[in-house]
Amino acid sequence: MRKLYFLVPGTGGKFACGGLWAELKAFKLAQQVCIAEVVTYRQREADKPFLDDLLQESNLDNAIFVISWGFDIAPLAKKLQQHNVVYHAHSAGYKFSLPASIPIITVSRNTLGYWGQKAPNSLIYYLPNEISYEFKNLHLERDIDVLVQARKSSEYLLKQLIPALQQKSQVQVVDSYVEDLPGLFNRAKVYLYDSAEYWAQQNVSEGFGLQPMEAMACGCQVFSSINGGLSDYLDPGFNCYKIAGYSQEYDVDRILKVINAAISPNLSEEFFAEYRPENIIKRWQVILEELNAFFDHKKNYPGNIPSLTRGRLFNLSIQKIRNKFRKKYFQGL
């Protein structure tokens, strides 16, 4: 198999975020299948190759560049157009298109559907993000009624719902990095997550939404928005509750009812199996075998399926109108 180069702008500092951690987890699991290495392209780091230096090497046909940082995808795709490139898509909605020569691996079925419509001639695969085994229900005494992480939370959540809940329950709002997130989730009865407003402001989608699933795996009852990739696994009324449901008072009543009833999620390990390391490694194996076969083919054959460009869509619309006109006025002549 070809070597994988996972391209990230940097591995810390201003680039530290959930998307980066998810990408680095995917990299580590890919290492179970083939040789893989992290490469930076904005921030030089002493222990990692830098993209501009790497591109000076020869025989890069034996490598695949994995690009994932949404706002950098278009320039990276152009820069690497002579090489084997795969887009590892987290969020959807970025204003760029990709040629069919770049396969797409998506972290959610929501993003899978987006690219299935936007790039119908591209190879597209589904590879969910990992929920590691440290996220599990330890069945401990829960001393936090409501847990909230401030980042990505809506104004409604922070300025209306949380103050109302603080009058009637024990609420903990986290606004900094948590060293032991599984431990914190195991202390909480209810976890609140409302990212729809945040992602609407970014003009892109929630790629996967790791925290609600991690909280569920630790035995929390989850009240969440159902935007983007969250819709892959959240099922209101069955494994979670929809937050921001009509009124603040209705939200408060539902959350307090769950807290006071001491309800525990009844989710089996089978529910999480799709997102555990073993399944993702198996999927990596299949996907990488197909990608290597595709890049072997691409060396000898050009792409020849018409793309759904604006111009082609316009011509198809005109053709459809003409066919309707002919059928209406000239049928039977």
Side-chain angles (χ1 to χ4, degrees):
M1 284 191 179
R2 290 172 171 85
K3 181 176 182 177
L4 297 184
Y5 287 118
F6 281 76
L7 271 54
V8 295
T11 61
K14 63 181 180 180
F15 302 114
C17 65
L20 175 63
W21 309 143
E23 189 67 10
L24 294 179
K25 279 187 173 184
F27 152 71
K28 289 185 180 299
L29 293 176
Q31 284 185 307
Q32 305 298 310
V33 179
C34 68
I35 298 173
E37 192 171 7
V38 171
V39 175
T40 64
Y41 57 85
R42 284 202 212 169
Q43 179 174 282
R44 285 187 179 270
E45 299 183 11
D47 59 340
K48 294 178 178 60
F50 191 69
L51 180 60
D52 289 345
D53 300 335
L54 182 62
L55 292 178
Q56 302 305 311
E57 296 183 8
S58 58
N59 200 27
L60 287 173
D61 181 60
N62 291 324
I64 298 173
F65 292 91
V66 182
I67 57 178
S68 62
W69 211 261
F71 293 109
D72 293 343
I73 295 304
L76 282 173
K78 183 177 181 180
K79 185 172 188 174
L80 298 168
Q81 59 185 333
Q82 302 302 318
H83 302 286
N84 302 320
V85 181
V86 172
Y87 174 36
H88 190 198
H90 293 259
S91 301
Y94 294 101
K95 308 300 181 183
F96 63 80
S97 297
L98 291 173
S101 59
I102 298 181
I104 301 166
I105 301 173
T106 69
V107 304
S108 71
R109 290 187 174 86
N110 182 272
T111 305
L112 182 76
Y114 171 87
W115 280 107
Q117 179 65 45
K118 190 173 176 64
N121 302 335
S122 298
L123 294 180
I124 305 178
Y125 303 94
Y126 167 60
L127 184 77
N129 280 331
E130 176 198 355
I131 303 297
S132 59
Y133 282 109
E134 62 182 334
F135 291 96
K136 61 182 179 180
N137 191 347
L138 300 176
H139 303 284
L140 304 176
E141 188 71 26
R142 297 179 183 269
D143 61 328
I144 301 172
D145 290 330
V146 178
L147 177 65
V148 183
Q149 289 171 295
R151 186 174 180 272
K152 297 183 184 178
S153 290
S154 67
E155 189 173 83
Y156 159 72
L157 187 61
L158 295 175
K159 295 186 177 181
Q160 289 183 238
L161 184 57
I162 290 303
L165 287 170
Q166 285 173 328
Q167 299 176 25
K168 300 180 179 181
S169 61
Q170 173 63 38
V171 179
Q172 182 165 334
V173 179
V174 177
D175 58 3
S176 60
Y177 176 74
V178 177
E179 188 70 34
D180 181 16
L181 189 56
L184 187 60
F185 282 145
N186 269 279
R187 293 175 54 200
K189 296 175 184 175
V190 169
Y191 177 68
L192 306 185
Y193 188 82
D194 188 9
S195 71
E197 181 180 277
Y198 172 86
W199 289 110
Q201 292 178 62
Q202 306 301 312
N203 290 316
V204 293
S205 73
E206 172 80 79
F208 183 89
L210 279 167
Q211 289 85 1
M213 179 170 283
E214 291 170 342
M216 292 164 71
C218 292
C220 290
Q221 288 286 0
V222 170
F223 282 74
S224 176
S225 52
I226 315 292
N227 48 295
L230 294 165
S231 63
D232 266 32
Y233 63 87
L234 290 180
D235 191 1
F238 296 90
N239 66 17
C240 73
Y241 301 85
K242 170 66 173 64
I243 203 169
Y246 181 69
S247 72
Q248 171 193 307
E249 292 76 14
Y250 189 53
D251 275 354
V252 170
D253 286 346
R254 290 186 299 149
I255 293 167
L256 292 178
K257 181 179 179 181
V258 169
I259 293 170
N260 294 329
I263 301 171
S264 296
N266 188 25
L267 297 174
S268 69
E269 181 54 34
E270 289 182 2
F271 176 82
F272 301 100
E274 181 177 342
Y275 311 95
R276 295 300 195 188
E278 292 87 348
N279 180 59
I280 298 173
I281 291 170
K282 289 177 183 178
R283 296 186 74 87
W284 260 133
Q285 181 74 46
V286 173
I287 292 169
L288 290 174
E289 286 176 358
E290 290 211 6
L291 289 178
N292 276 273
F294 168 70
F295 288 125
D296 287 341
H297 172 90
K298 190 170 76 76
K299 287 190 295 185
N300 302 309
Y301 298 92
N304 56 15
I305 300 175
S307 299
L308 282 180
T309 61
R310 287 185 179 181
R312 183 160 181 262
L313 286 171
F314 176 77
N315 289 334
L316 288 171
S317 296
I318 296 298
Q319 182 178 322
K320 184 177 181 181
I321 292 170
R322 286 174 175 170
N323 288 339
K324 285 185 176 180
F325 182 82
R326 289 194 187 101
K327 184 178 289 187
K328 182 175 182 178
Y329 293 103
F330 296 101
Q331 191 173 23
L333 294 180

